[in-house]
Amino acid sequence: MSGNKEQIDVSLIGNDKIEEAIVNIQKEPTEENLVRALSIVRHRMNDKGQLIIAVEPPLPDGKLNLKVIKTEDGQMWWIAYTSFDEELKGADNIKSTFLTDIDKLLHSALQVDEISGIIINPWNKTLMIDKELIKIIIGLSLIHISEPTRRSYIS
């Protein structure tokens, strides 16, 4: 799909700011840049912004499950994309995607014990948001980023 599709999906307009913040973290992985990126995600969430999520084929009961990615350390993460262009960079062909509210996605991630968090744009401009960072974004936790989280928020 081309960038023209994004112009139709108004809820994705502004996600380029998330991508820019991720690029800044990749260039200079500092706590300040991480906090800035989290603030931008919060701003997009508060503006009713959306992300693209990939789903697995339906189960026999008809329920859809979000696609997960397993990292080398064995942790499971939901994946989300800021744009259709980012989705298309995937290593595998995503069969089904949906738009979802950032707010709902973050809150849902906190409820699922089997996942560690959400990876935004796993193939490029990547940001790993673990549950500690999700709580910071949605305002359930003060900004205190632990040392292990500081080391692992980007790939």
Side-chain angles (χ1 to χ4, degrees):
M1 290 181 194
S2 70
N4 294 337
K5 173 68 175 156
E6 289 179 79
Q7 293 175 1
I8 296 168
D9 296 308
V10 176
S11 61
L12 297 177
I13 295 173
N15 284 355
D16 59 319
K17 292 178 178 144
I18 296 172
E19 293 174 12
E20 290 169 17
I22 294 169
V23 168
N24 287 335
I25 291 171
Q26 290 173 332
K27 288 180 184 174
E28 190 176 349
T30 64
E31 187 170 331
E32 180 179 315
N33 282 339
L34 174 60
V35 169
R36 185 174 297 122
L38 298 179
S39 295
I40 291 169
V41 172
R42 177 185 294 158
H43 180 74
R44 291 290 303 131
M45 176 186 77
N46 290 337
D47 284 348
K48 307 292 185 223
Q50 295 189 323
L51 292 171
I52 301 163
I53 54 170
V55 294
E56 300 286 351
L59 298 172
D61 62 6
K63 291 183 181 178
L64 294 175
N65 286 319
L66 295 182
K67 190 164 180 70
V68 295
I69 190 169
K70 188 174 185 177
T71 52
E72 290 180 14
D73 60 4
Q75 293 184 350
M76 304 296 281
W77 301 77
W78 283 346
I79 54 177
Y81 305 94
T82 52
S83 67
F84 289 105
D85 287 341
E86 286 299 318
E87 174 204 338
L88 291 174
K89 294 175 184 171
D92 59 354
N93 293 325
I94 304 297
K95 302 296 183 208
S96 297
T97 59
F98 293 95
L99 291 171
T100 190
D101 294 338
I102 295 171
D103 183 47
K104 289 180 183 175
L105 182 64
L106 296 176
H107 279 90
S108 294
L110 292 176
Q111 305 301 316
V112 179
D113 293 334
E114 297 80 19
I115 65 159
S116 297
I118 301 166
I119 297 179
I120 296 178
N121 299 336
W123 322 123
N124 183 39
K125 298 179 186 170
T126 301
L127 179 64
M128 298 175 76
I129 305 175
D130 66 13
K131 290 183 179 182
E132 178 184 344
L133 295 179
I134 290 171
K135 288 177 185 176
I136 291 169
I137 292 168
I138 62 179
L140 295 178
S141 177
L142 298 175
I143 296 179
H144 172 74
I145 301 170
S146 68
E147 183 59 33
T149 298
R150 270 189 219 119
R151 288 192 305 260
S152 66
Y153 54 84
I154 62 170
S155 66

